Amino acid sequence: MAEERLIIPKKTSNRFLMMIGLGLVLLVLGIILMMTAGPAHHDAHGAAATGHHAVTWYERLMSNLWLNSVYFTGIAVVGLFFTTVQYVAYAGWSVLIKRVLEALAYFLPVGGVIMILVFLLPIIFTGHNPLFHWTDHSLYEVDNANYDPIIAGKAGFLNLPFYTIRMVAYFALWIFFAWWLRKQSVAEDLNGGLSYYDKSIRISAMFLVVFGVTSSLSAWDWVLSIDTHWFSTMFGWYVFASWFISGLAATTLTVILLKQAGYMKMVNANHLHDLGKFVFAFSIFWTYIWFSQFMLIWYANMPEEVGYFTERLGGYGGHYTWIFFTNLVVNFAFPFLVLMTRDAKRQMIMLKIVCIVILFGHWLDFYLMIMPGTLRGESGFGLIELGTALTFLGLFLVRFTKGLTSASLVPVNHPFLEESIHHHV
């Protein structure tokens, strides 16, 4: 079987760089507009009514950097996760799309550096990170007016040294396993044989144990700890579900775009059908987790639990209510109705539309998870949001295409390659 190498035209590479440049320009412009407009323009009255200071451009920038870091890092690690699932399941159908999954993980080092810097730099310079209320040392001092017994009770887990160690460990483990698995995959192309495949299965089994722990812990650290008082035993699953469906949508969209560009000639409607079934099924899975978490908290109506949802459903003058319901329509109703039929899952145009909508929808889902706890009722959709998202998308595409071009799109010596070529459902 001959190799199939992706060649990215210089024009396309320049577009990615232009996307980053445009994003940075919009970001700076948004910051300047916020600085010149002053707090009065950004609902200072509403901030006073809730007992908080008006949100600054710095807090809005930090919130957007964190939001996009969490979102794109999740898509990257899902590429690694889904690859390992295919190995331990001895799956044959997915061999032809394996290199797309491997390439997603190329963003992990970039995501790791950005997240560690966004967390640590404010603490180094100011002693406190505005995204995480629990980083304020006065909350733990019994004689201080700011003392919070609930947050102080969580100090064994939510403290700066342990949190930083955990974050570094997540990325170190994920990057190491991505590198290790990719090394076997490329060596298999060069040398053939079954030894690399057998070793990949063992590596994958180890990673799945690691991911089972780190996926939930990272969700608690990076998202749940923003709302420090709140807790949910389902939150790790909820973040994983949102990450996973986003990763599936990114994979499916990439396969379609590559096929339309003349690559991946052996990928056929049967592979697309399987990808479509995954996208359809895990949109429902995400909704199941969403409903299970919401319904139990709503029905129990316990004060220490409902605050999270009252902020998002009617809180801050209804600031997030429309996002709350849009989240359900975009991430459940739309993919559920559009992909219900067999034919829809086999048509590139239908899958492409659904995947683009899902990728935006789950970015919005993370927006709804993060912004109420960081910016309260003063978040928005402006130049800072657009600029940050464009910058991260450009960075992600640069790293992703680097992964796609650094090895053959067809794993030529994979033992299940023939099974994948003749896959039929």
Side-chain angles (χ1 to χ4, degrees), residues 21-171:
L22 178 61
L24 291 172
V25 169
L26 292 173
L27 187 56
V28 171
L29 189 57
I31 291 170
I32 292 170
L33 287 173
M34 252 192 110
M35 290 172 72
T36 54
H41 183 70
H42 296 278
D43 196 19
H45 175 72
T50 57
H52 295 284
H53 66 274
V55 165
T56 63
W57 66 265
Y58 167 67
E59 290 168 313
R60 191 159 170 178
L61 171 64
M62 294 291 287
S63 297
N64 278 280
L65 289 173
W66 195 255
L67 159 67
N68 286 281
S69 295
V70 171
Y71 175 71
F72 283 102
T73 295
I75 292 175
V77 77
V78 161
L80 174 59
F81 166 71
F82 201 46
T83 304
T84 58
V85 169
Q86 303 310 304
Y87 273 115
V88 298
Y90 291 85
W93 73 272
S94 58
V95 171
L96 287 173
I97 66 162
K98 185 168 82 85
R99 288 287 153 79
V100 174
L101 296 169
E102 290 174 1
L104 286 172
Y106 268 61
F107 180 75
L108 284 174
V110 177
V113 169
I114 294 172
M115 288 191 78
I116 290 167
L117 289 177
V118 170
F119 179 72
L120 287 180
L121 285 181
I123 293 169
I124 292 169
F125 289 108
T126 68
H128 170 60
N129 190 311
L131 300 178
F132 299 95
H133 183 53
W134 58 267
T135 58
D136 184 350
H137 61 86
S138 67
L139 299 169
Y140 305 91
E141 297 167 0
V142 179
D143 298 328
N144 196 298
N146 290 332
Y147 176 69
D148 189 319
I150 294 174
I151 294 177
K154 300 182 180 185
F157 186 77
L158 290 179
N159 61 77
L160 291 178
F162 191 26
Y163 186 98
T164 306
I165 290 167
R166 289 199 304 273
M167 190 189 293
V168 171
Y170 303 151
F171 280 106

Side-chain angles (χ1 to χ4, degrees), residues 42-43 46-47 50 52 55 311 315-317 319-320 371-380:
H42 296 278
D43 196 19
T50 57
H52 295 284
V55 165
E311 282 184 354
Y316 303 117
H319 187 76
Y320 295 99
M371 293 302 180
T374 58
L375 302 183
R376 301 173 293 283
E378 297 177 71
S379 65

Side-chain angles (χ1 to χ4, degrees), residues 69-70 72-78 80-81 84 105-106 108-109 111-112 115 166-181 207-219 222 239 243:
S69 295
V70 171
F72 283 102
T73 295
I75 292 175
V77 77
V78 161
L80 174 59
F81 166 71
T84 58
Y106 268 61
L108 284 174
M115 288 191 78
R166 289 199 304 273
M167 190 189 293
V168 171
Y170 303 151
F171 280 106
L173 286 166
W174 294 348
I175 291 166
F176 170 71
F177 275 101
W179 167 81
W180 199 8
L181 209 56
F207 173 76
L208 288 175
V209 175
V210 169
F211 186 72
V213 177
T214 56
S215 61
S216 286
L217 282 173
S218 60
W222 298 345
V239 171
W243 272 347

